[in-house]
């Protein structure tokens, strides 16, 4: 695999301090100046001023200069201007205006976390003790940045930028609508979906397990019920448990756990999904504001000005 993961995102928001407080509540570690870190991935989120919310830059980690050469060739093959620096190559995706930078970066090494012990029918694996998930009381802390979801007015062109340009692989498709793309062994690191305007739909952050998804969202909602968007549920495509919340700028942020991993490309068969399966396997029905964020009309007006 030429790339090994998303290294960081830069998101433009109207109020950096307020949004920084939200992501601190979300469990990221503030480093100052709108920069925030995950436990395992280090600095993975940068917030900067923009008059309306938008994804400004997405950075992808690779191992060595050969990978950069390959990306540069891919982007040139799409007739795009590239900027090469020591250790990185960068280009702007023409439809969404998002800058993609591929950089030589160390791989995120995650210490294996032991699976919680569950009881089941005919299987008493946990005897005489309460479940680990109910004994936890600390703040939930995301392990790493998992994925971003980007709306594009030309889904196919944006998809081509990431696949043919940057070398992302297609894990699954939603017919005529969206593509789940990966640049690591995670099922998806980027989802490109058809939209009436280019916008950032959500970012997603890995936590230890399903209990941490639930606990994290409950902590976020305790004093801010207005942050709730959609959850708890389990996606069908990618299999991950999810709970979505809304940041003060209007971007959704997701806690997830237990996503499918594709370690051997030969063993994965991409599917084409439709209807409910393309959205989720179980959970409460998705609210209309998840499918069509409330500020979409305002974002479209801004885009036309
Ligand atoms: Fe997601």
């Amino acid at each position: 695999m030429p790339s090994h993961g998303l290294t960081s995102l830069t998101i433009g928001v109207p109020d950096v301090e307020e949004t920084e407080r939200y992501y601190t509540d979300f469990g990221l570690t503030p480093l100052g100046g709108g920069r925030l870190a995950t436990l395992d991935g280090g600095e993975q989120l940068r917030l900067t001023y923009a008059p309306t919310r938008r994804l400004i830059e997405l950075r992808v980690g690779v191992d060595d200069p050969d990978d950069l050469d390959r990306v540069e060739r891919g982007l040139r093959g799409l007739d795009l201007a590239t900027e090469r620096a020591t250790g990185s190559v960068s280009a702007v995706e023409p439809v969404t205006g998002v800058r993609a930078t591929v950089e030589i970066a160390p791989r995120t090494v995650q210490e294996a976390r032991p699976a919680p012990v569950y009881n089941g029918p005919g299987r008493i694996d946990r005897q005489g003790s309460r479940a680990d998930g109910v004994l936890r009381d600390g703040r939930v802390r995301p392990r790493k940045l998992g994925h971003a979801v980007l709306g594009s007015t030309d889904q196919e062109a944006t998809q081509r930028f990431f696949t043919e340009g940057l070398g992302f692989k297609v894990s699954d498709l939603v017919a005529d609508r969206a593509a789940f793309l990966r640049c690591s062994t995670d099922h998806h690191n980027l989802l490109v979906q058809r939209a009436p305007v280019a916008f950032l739909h959500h970012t997603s952050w890995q936590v230890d397990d399903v209990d941490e998804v639930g606990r994290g969202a409950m902590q976020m909602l305790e004093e801010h019920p207005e942050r709730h968007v959609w959850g708890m549920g389990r996606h069908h495509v990618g299999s991950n448990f999810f709970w979505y919340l809304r940041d003060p700028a209007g971007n959704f942020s997701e806690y997830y756990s237990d996503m499918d991993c594709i370690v051997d490309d030969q063993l994965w068969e991409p599917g084409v999904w439709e209807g409910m399966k393309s959205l989720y396997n179980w959970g409460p029905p998705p609210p209309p504001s998840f499918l069509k964020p409330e500020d979409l009309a305002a974002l479209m007006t801004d885009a036309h000005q």
Side-chain angles (χ1 to χ4, degrees):
M1 159 122 352
S3 54
H4 53 73
L6 286 187
T7 49
S8 69
L9 299 175
T10 302
I11 304 176
V13 294
D15 188 333
V16 172
E17 279 179 28
E18 183 188 33
T19 311
E20 190 176 358
R21 279 196 297 275
Y22 170 93
Y23 285 99
T24 304
D25 284 355
F26 192 74
L28 303 185
T29 306
L31 304 173
R35 298 171 305 122
L36 296 112
T38 57
L39 285 183
D40 297 339
E43 185 181 326
Q44 296 204 282
L45 178 63
R46 289 166 203 152
L47 301 169
T48 184
Y49 172 77
T52 50
R53 66 185 188 92
R54 55 180 290 242
L55 179 62
I56 291 174
E57 188 183 31
L58 170 153
R59 296 177 80 91
V60 177
V62 295
D63 290 324
D64 53 53
D66 289 350
D67 298 318
L68 297 179
D69 294 342
R70 196 157 37 232
V71 168
E72 199 168 15
R73 277 196 304 276
L75 290 167
R76 292 230 176 109
L78 296 171
D79 290 327
L80 293 170
T82 57
E83 277 175 46
R84 183 79 183 247
T86 314
S88 72
V89 60
S90 159
V92 174
E93 197 285 306
V95 183
T96 57
V98 173
R99 175 169 290 280
T101 298
V102 179
E103 61 185 346
I104 297 173
R107 289 174 178 244
T108 299
V109 179
Q110 296 193 288
E111 207 179 304
R113 172 137 185 117
V117 182
Y118 293 112
N119 289 334
R123 178 171 55 78
I124 306 173
D125 289 340
R126 192 185 65 251
Q127 296 184 19
S129 65
R130 299 176 206 280
D132 181 57
V134 306
L135 295 174
R136 300 174 195 165
D137 55 8
R139 192 89 204 166
V140 170
R141 310 281 309 280
R143 291 277 170 188
K144 66 168 187 180
L145 168 66
H147 60 270
V149 175
L150 200 51
S152 169
T153 53
D154 187 343
Q155 183 232 310
E156 281 179 16
T158 304
Q159 183 180 331
R160 218 164 29 242
F161 174 90
F162 285 101
T163 53
E164 290 174 30
L166 267 54
F168 282 47
K169 294 170 183 173
V170 176
S171 298
D172 275 304
L173 295 167
V174 180
D176 302 323
R177 190 160 289 272
F180 291 79
L181 310 175
R182 68 184 187 277
C183 63
S184 73
T185 52
D186 291 333
H187 175 276
H188 55 281
N189 303 105
L190 181 71
L191 180 115
V192 179
Q193 64 181 22
R194 202 170 59 176
V197 64
F199 78 105
L200 175 62
H201 185 276
H202 71 262
T203 60
S204 190
W205 305 82
Q206 183 195 50
V207 293
D208 289 347
D209 54 34
V210 63
D211 282 298
E212 293 304 86
V213 174
R215 287 193 339 105
M218 291 293 278
Q219 290 172 354
M220 288 297 280
L221 297 175
E222 202 172 303
E223 286 171 24
H224 293 275
E226 77 284 359
R227 287 170 169 171
H228 174 73
V229 178
W230 185 32
M232 144 91 71
R234 189 162 193 151
H235 284 301
H236 188 82
V237 186
S239 301
N240 51 305
F241 294 108
F242 66 82
W243 198 322
Y244 293 87
L245 303 149
R246 187 189 291 100
D247 81 14
N251 306 295
F252 302 152
S253 63
E254 175 188 14
Y255 289 116
Y256 82 91
S257 72
D258 195 26
M259 180 174 278
D260 293 334
C261 285
I262 303 170
V263 178
D264 183 343
D265 293 342
Q266 313 292 330
L267 299 179
W268 183 263
E269 191 63 47
V272 181
W273 303 94
E274 284 180 77
M276 193 182 102
K277 286 257 165 64
S278 65
L279 269 172
Y280 68 137
N281 188 288
W282 59 258
S289 66
F290 181 82
L291 305 172
K292 194 165 173 276
E294 277 148 17
D295 62 353
L296 213 55
L299 292 174
M300 285 171 74
T301 308
D302 287 334
H304 283 118
Q305 277 166 1

